[in-house]
Amino acid sequence: MCGIVGYAGNRDVVSVILKGLTNLEYRGYDSAGMALRDGDDIKVYKTLGKLINLKNELESRKSELIQPTCGIGHIRWATHGSPSIVNAHPHSCTCGKLVVVHNGIIENYKELREELTVKGCVFKSQTDTEVIAHLVADEYSKVKDLEKAVRNSVSKLQGAYAVCVMHKNVPDLIIGARKHAPMLVGIGDGENFIASDTPAIIEYTKKTIYLDDNEIAIVTKDSVKITDADGNEVVKKVEVLPWEPIALSKLGYKHFMLKEIHEQPDVIRNVLNGKLYDIDAPIVLNEVKLDKDTIKNLKKIEIIACGTSLHVGMAAKYIIENFTGISVEVEASSEYIYRKTTTDASTLVIGVSQSGETADTITAIKQAKEKNAHILIVTNRPDSNMARLADSLIPVNAGIEVSVAATKSYIAQMISFYLLAIHIAEVKGTLDDVYLKNLKHEIIQLPTKVEEILSNTTTIQECAKKFSSFKNFIYIARGVNLATAYEGALKLKEISYINATGYAAGELKHGPIAMLDETMPVLSILMPGGITYEKILSNSEEAKARNAKLIALTSSKDTNIDALFDVVLRVPQVSEILSPVITCVPCQLLAYYIAEFLGKDVDQPRNLAKSVTVE
Ligand code: AGP
């Protein structure tokens, strides 16, 4: 969603901020802006659409600038007020001396706006953010101290915010503040940064301080001071970022999504590294802080997540129940938070999130925490807000994922759940030794099998071409691959904007079959060796009888099925329980090639954001 970059230092301020915003643009946005301290003045630039427009605007007005010494930049994903130049950040107070950029939502903005209007503030935009500019300016006019003015003002805000403020009368100072929205300070040598996420600063420094809720950062090029809500200075740990700037390069691939799909074999190896290395040794999962007795007595697990991470949870239910016999409930975070749940102190609650910043999941996890449940977080961002709520934390080590459509984080989370399920099974003794060894052996082979798929994508590309003109799709599967059907359909929707729905194959005849004709292709995921192969084959026959075009995704070597299906996407053989790791890859590639063929903005699909930090 929105992104913030602030910089104070001797480099070219415009370039640093633009670069930082570029590294955040994968999060999704509709407009961009920048405020620059230039001599005695603060100059504001805003444009609609992609960052290139802001870059061009700054370039065309270059002669206005003498030598900016610090600045704040923002990319906006509209929540209050449509995407427009007037609603783009930075926002200014009535006299224009104070500028602010903001991520999050101010829930009491209407009341504040009324109060400030009565005081004579003139509002220009429809945003909630503009109240912050007027509020801080109003406080500043009273206390004449920008730090105090920010502190007093944010105490009046309800909701979520990460804000950066500059004032014309206070040269070369940027103040940042946060509550329920991420913000960090990057420490450089004779330069400092403020940002909403690490990719914004990684090219310049790896030294980072993460702000906690209610903390305020007072930043100049030579100093960083962090205070709490009462103004007391706080000594914070300086952390070193694990990412390399190279992670933000496409490395010759046309899109980040394709690069990230191709990284998956190594991602699986990374997840397994140190945890599953020998089929005779138990899984090493020191991240799980539950003692053996607690694990043995576990009666219920709840998995809470959104979107793609929710689909991982759906597969995890099958995997954990199959391996351990423990009952697993899976729920969308946005549903969990608005009902009376049965979560209690004996429940293991697992939050799954690529970004670790998804607002609904964070709220759900906080609610579960209040009920004293043990919180296990599975995330690709161990530096995230969600990770900080964890009693146990499994970082999935997929490396930074730039494409909005999640791929490698999905597979990394999935592998983490296999390890978790086996770990629990080993503690409980629910799996037979021989089965366990074979299972581990097969898991170790998974990267090679994914490599096999990636080494020849011709059939998938041809299939994409053949089916790219269809407006609707149905994906069907049963059992553990039902999650793949949901995820495959979601991938297609997200990046190609084609309407696609995943169904449990057995449900087809209870309604969806009514939609079937030659305009509605059906992709069947049918992996032999399990108990549902023949059933899905019959469901596919039923679709064929209604003239639907059929695609099979299967490891079956049976050439008879080639007559039933219009296209057969063959994948390597693997046990059904492990097959989601294999079947997800052609689904990702099919969505990718269809979107690419249709000329869509694959990495930054319209209306979507990488971190959904608002409810
Ligand atoms: C994935 O392709 C989507 N962009 C989206 O569904 C995403 O999975 C969802 O918003 C949850 O995000 P999270 O994993 O960061 O919590």
Side-chain angles (χ1 to χ4, degrees):
M1 293 198 135
C2 305
I4 290 176
V5 184
Y7 175 69
N10 294 330
R11 293 181 203 246
D12 176 19
V13 178
V14 170
S15 308
V16 172
I17 296 176
L18 275 176
K19 181 73 201 157
L21 292 176
T22 305
N23 286 352
L24 293 182
E25 70 175 343
Y26 71 94
R27 299 165 63 91
Y29 68 104
D30 45 57
S31 54
M34 197 185 291
L36 297 165
R37 173 98 210 169
D38 192 33
D40 289 338
D41 216 358
I42 286 184
K43 292 167 184 159
V44 175
Y45 303 84
K46 306 203 246 187
T47 49
L48 200 53
K50 295 286 178 191
L51 269 174
I52 185 71
N53 300 338
L54 181 64
K55 195 174 173 213
N56 291 341
E57 171 81 358
L58 281 153
E59 190 59 38
S60 69
R61 294 171 60 189
K62 210 170 158 182
S63 57
E64 288 174 16
L65 293 169
I66 311 158
Q67 192 175 17
T69 45
C70 69
I72 51 179
H74 190 263
I75 46 176
R76 172 177 188 251
W77 188 85
T79 57
H80 296 62
S82 60
S84 67
I85 291 185
V86 79
N87 287 333
H89 302 207
H91 288 283
S92 314
C93 62
T94 310
C95 69
K97 285 185 177 173
L98 184 134
V99 285
V100 64
V101 292
H102 162 231
N103 288 359
I105 287 181
I106 305 304
E107 284 160 7
N108 58 336
Y109 84 101
K110 282 191 183 141
E111 299 90 297
L112 290 170
R113 191 173 169 129
E114 272 168 31
E115 282 170 30
L116 289 158
T117 307
V118 170
K119 285 184 174 176
C121 296
V122 180
F123 280 80
K124 298 179 262 318
S125 75
Q126 291 86 52
T127 65
D128 52 338
T129 301
E130 197 183 341
V131 297
I132 308 173
H134 294 290
L135 194 58
V136 183
D138 183 52
E139 279 297 317
Y140 182 72
S141 68
K142 291 184 233 159
V143 298
K144 309 283 183 231
D145 174 332
L146 191 57
E147 184 186 327
K148 252 191 206 157
V150 171
R151 185 170 300 112
N152 294 350
S153 303
V154 294
S155 70
K156 294 178 185 162
L157 302 178
Q158 285 165 19
Y161 59 80
V163 288
C164 267
V165 174
M166 293 198 306
H167 196 292
K168 186 174 170 354
N169 296 359
V170 193
D172 301 331
L173 179 73
I174 307 174
I175 299 197
R178 68 149 270 181
K179 188 175 185 184
H180 305 325
M183 174 156 270
L184 54 92
V185 176
I187 316 284
D189 190 8
E191 60 179 354
N192 290 307
F193 307 77
I194 301 191
S196 53
D197 202 357
T198 49
I201 62 163
I202 192 74
E203 312 247 344
Y204 306 104
T205 182
K206 284 187 164 191
K207 287 200 269 174
T208 307
I209 293 173
Y210 291 97
L211 293 194
D212 284 311
D213 275 352
N214 303 312
E215 286 181 343
I216 291 178
I218 302 100
V219 175
T220 70
K221 79 182 180 60
D222 299 310
S223 65
V224 170
K225 184 175 95 174
I226 313 289
T227 69
D228 65 15
D230 300 319
N232 305 311
E233 192 162 347
V234 188
V235 180
K236 302 281 292 184
K237 189 173 158 216
V238 178
E239 299 186 31
V240 179
L241 296 174
W243 316 111
E244 291 299 331
I246 192 85
L248 299 172
S249 148
K250 287 184 202 153
L251 295 177
Y253 287 96
K254 188 167 179 193
H255 295 100
F256 280 107
M257 182 177 177
L258 191 59
K259 174 191 161 219
E260 286 158 5
I261 291 172
H262 280 266
E263 283 171 349
Q264 292 181 117
D266 283 341
V267 165
I268 301 174
R269 290 186 183 103
N270 263 350
V271 184
L272 298 181
N273 189 20
K275 296 188 169 72
L276 168 54
Y277 51 92
D278 177 353
I279 60 166
D280 293 319
I283 298 289
V284 181
L285 212 50
N286 298 331
E287 290 94 339
V288 177
K289 306 292 180 206
L290 291 170
D291 59 49
K292 288 192 172 166
D293 281 342
T294 312
I295 292 181
K296 278 182 190 156
N297 293 320
L298 267 178
K299 294 280 172 297
K300 189 173 71 159
I301 295 176
E302 288 175 350
I303 301 178
I304 310 171
C306 302
T308 290
S309 297
L310 179 64
H311 298 153
V312 174
M314 288 172 178
K317 173 184 166 70
Y318 282 87
I319 299 161
I320 297 173
E321 291 188 347
N322 188 318
F323 291 176
T324 73
I326 300 171
S327 157
V328 180
E329 283 175 20
V330 186
E331 193 168 10
S333 316
S334 52
E335 288 300 311
Y336 180 93
I337 58 184
Y338 292 114
R339 71 180 183 88
K340 201 168 164 190
T341 64
T342 56
T343 309
D344 60 22
S346 67
T347 317
L348 169 62
V349 172
I350 308 180
V352 194
S353 175
Q354 176 281 131
S355 64
E357 300 295 350
T358 302
D360 286 328
T361 309
I362 289 181
T363 307
I365 292 300
K366 283 182 179 164
Q367 288 181 4
K369 216 172 162 64
E370 271 168 26
K371 296 192 164 180
N372 297 319
H374 185 95
I375 305 294
L376 191 161
I377 301 294
V378 178
T379 181
N380 196 31
R381 297 300 298 267
D383 53 344
S384 62
N385 276 314
M386 208 180 297
R388 286 165 207 221
L389 297 171
D391 299 308
S392 298
L393 173 67
I394 302 187
V396 302
N397 299 327
I400 194 153
E401 189 174 65
V402 175
S403 173
V404 167
T407 53
K408 63 175 179 172
S409 61
Y410 178 80
I411 223 163
Q413 289 166 345
M414 187 79 79
I415 298 292
S416 299
F417 270 107
Y418 284 109
L419 297 179
L420 176 68
I422 299 174
H423 173 63
I424 297 175
E426 286 182 328
V427 173
K428 283 174 67 90
T430 45
L431 288 180
D432 160 75
D433 262 9
V434 178
Y435 178 85
L436 207 46
K437 278 185 191 174
N438 288 338
L439 185 67
K440 287 179 182 172
H441 177 74
E442 265 205 88
I443 292 176
I444 292 170
Q445 305 305 312
L446 287 173
T448 317
K449 295 195 173 176
V450 174
E451 264 159 5
E452 215 179 296
I453 300 171
L454 294 172
S455 67
N456 185 358
T457 60
T458 315
T459 319
I460 301 172
Q461 292 191 47
E462 282 166 4
C463 179
K465 225 178 208 177
K466 191 166 176 179
F467 284 86
S468 60
S469 59
F470 285 88
K471 300 283 173 268
N472 300 287
F473 259 88
I474 283 179
Y475 285 58
I476 57 168
R478 287 175 180 231
V480 71
N481 270 309
L482 180 53
T484 317
Y486 290 148
E487 176 58 11
L490 179 68
K491 283 283 94 69
L492 187 61
K493 273 187 279 218
E494 282 187 301
I495 59 170
S496 72
Y497 319 143
I498 292 172
N499 177 36
T501 311
Y503 289 107
E507 279 295 298
L508 206 58
K509 60 171 85 66
H510 298 288
I513 202 166
M515 296 187 292
L516 296 188
D517 61 16
E518 60 288 344
T519 67
M520 179 72 83
V522 175
L523 186 149
S524 309
I525 304 168
L526 60 170
M527 295 298 277
I531 48 177
T532 60
Y533 177 80
E534 297 295 338
K535 297 282 172 203
I536 305 172
L537 211 49
S538 308
N539 298 135
S540 306
E541 298 268 10
E542 288 157 12
K544 182 80 169 182
R546 273 82 190 172
N547 295 327
K549 296 262 176 291
L550 293 188
I551 303 170
L553 174 47
T554 182
S555 62
S556 170
K557 302 238 168 17
D558 177 6
T559 45
N560 289 329
I561 66 166
D562 294 37
L564 171 62
F565 292 94
D566 296 276
V567 177
V568 179
L569 303 176
R570 285 209 158 77
V571 291
Q573 175 55 38
V574 65
S575 294
E576 191 187 30
I577 194 73
L578 295 177
S579 63
V581 179
I582 298 297
T583 52
C584 73
V585 181
C587 290
Q588 296 166 345
L589 286 167
L590 184 64
Y592 171 80
Y593 284 117
I594 289 180
E596 205 255 321
F597 188 69
L598 294 174
K600 303 294 182 201
D601 188 351
V602 173
D603 285 332
Q604 290 165 39
R606 68 184 184 203
N607 307 335
L608 291 182
K610 187 69 181 163
S611 306
V612 184
T613 49
V614 294
E615 267 192 31

